[in-house]
Amino acid sequence: MIAAAVFASGSGSNAEAIVLASLPCSIELVVCDKPEAPVIQKAKNWNTEVFVCDPKTFPDKQAYEQAILLKLQEKQIKWIFLAGYMRLIGPTLLEAYQARIVNIHPSLLPAFAGKDAIGQALAAGVKVSGVTIHYVDAGMDTGSIIAQEAVAVRESDTHETLHQRIQAVEHKLYPKTIDYILTEQDGKE
Ligand code: GRF
């Protein structure tokens, strides 16, 4: 079974959807950069090892990512799935995991990249937003797109209601796309 890691900084609902899905990989590690993040307790409930790595305790980003890399290598992790991980991936991890880091973003990229994509969509008054799953490169939400699904924006939507409908799509689309990547792409190597 392919070993994979999920990186998360927050509530971990996408991490949960991935861990609980039946996939051709096993999530051997959750990496979290925020010592108080709710995902840490969730991972304990799934019996998944959590590596809490606070960047503030390292001299620089390279040292921080090097510590993560060591842990990933120790666990023989082959794929990284970012699920609400609120940091840009630097060269240390990008070079070690070329084309093997995937992210989920709550908009139809390239629209509304960066923070608070849902707030950005509401402020722009678009009628359709959605979810994008993409490979990670050095930019902010700029890597090549693997899958997208649209979500209609309603007149009555608040940040919370749109967020809920987008997350419902995310929780299905992320596991489905990981399944696709690992069977269609990784399987051919
Ligand atoms: C998701 O909406 C994801 O698209 C974005 O961050 C959010 C994480 O939510 N990158 P959760 O922690 O998985 O609930």
Side-chain angles (χ1 to χ4, degrees):
M1 182 80 101
I2 301 164
V6 173
F7 286 30
S9 307
S11 83
S13 71
N14 279 284
E16 182 161 70
I18 295 168
V19 168
L20 300 184
S22 162
L23 293 172
C25 66
S26 110
I27 305 302
E28 298 288 333
L29 188 69
V30 169
V31 174
C32 179
D33 59 326
K34 296 241 162 67
E36 307 297 330
V39 68
I40 296 169
Q41 188 51 49
K42 281 198 176 127
K44 288 180 183 155
N45 298 340
W46 316 319
N47 285 325
T48 305
E49 182 176 336
V50 194
F51 185 56
V52 181
C53 199
D54 184 349
K56 287 190 212 109
T57 62
F58 293 88
D60 55 26
K61 182 160 182 149
Q62 193 189 349
Y64 163 70
E65 287 202 340
Q66 194 60 43
I68 295 176
L69 183 57
L70 263 180
K71 186 73 188 172
L72 296 173
Q73 286 169 342
E74 181 195 311
K75 304 282 292 177
Q76 299 189 304
I77 300 294
K78 224 173 148 205
W79 284 86
I80 297 172
F81 304 121
L82 308 183
Y85 179 68
M86 302 303 283
R87 278 172 201 283
L88 277 180
I89 300 291
T92 305
L93 287 173
L94 276 178
E95 277 159 30
Y97 283 88
Q98 256 188 12
R100 286 181 178 278
I101 308 179
V102 177
N103 184 41
I104 185 163
H105 184 78
S107 75
L108 294 176
L109 289 171
F112 313 131
K115 285 196 176 142
D116 193 17
I118 291 168
Q120 291 184 56
L122 288 170
V126 293
K127 300 294 177 206
V128 177
S129 191
V131 176
T132 301
I133 313 239
H134 63 94
Y135 285 107
V136 172
D137 63 14
M140 171 87 81
D141 305 319
T142 49
S144 64
I145 292 170
I146 309 164
Q148 288 185 309
E149 191 167 325
V151 174
V153 182
R154 298 175 186 155
E155 287 290 332
S156 58
D157 263 331
T158 61
H159 196 286
E160 196 188 337
T161 59
L162 183 56
H163 175 74
Q164 276 170 1
R165 289 205 315 290
I166 284 190
Q167 286 234 304
V169 170
E170 290 189 326
H171 298 160
K172 292 200 176 105
L173 189 63
Y174 211 175
K176 193 170 126 189
T177 305
I178 291 170
D179 188 47
Y180 165 79
I181 295 167
L182 296 182
T183 50
E184 295 293 315
Q185 183 191 302
D186 208 37
K188 284 186 189 138
E189 283 175 7

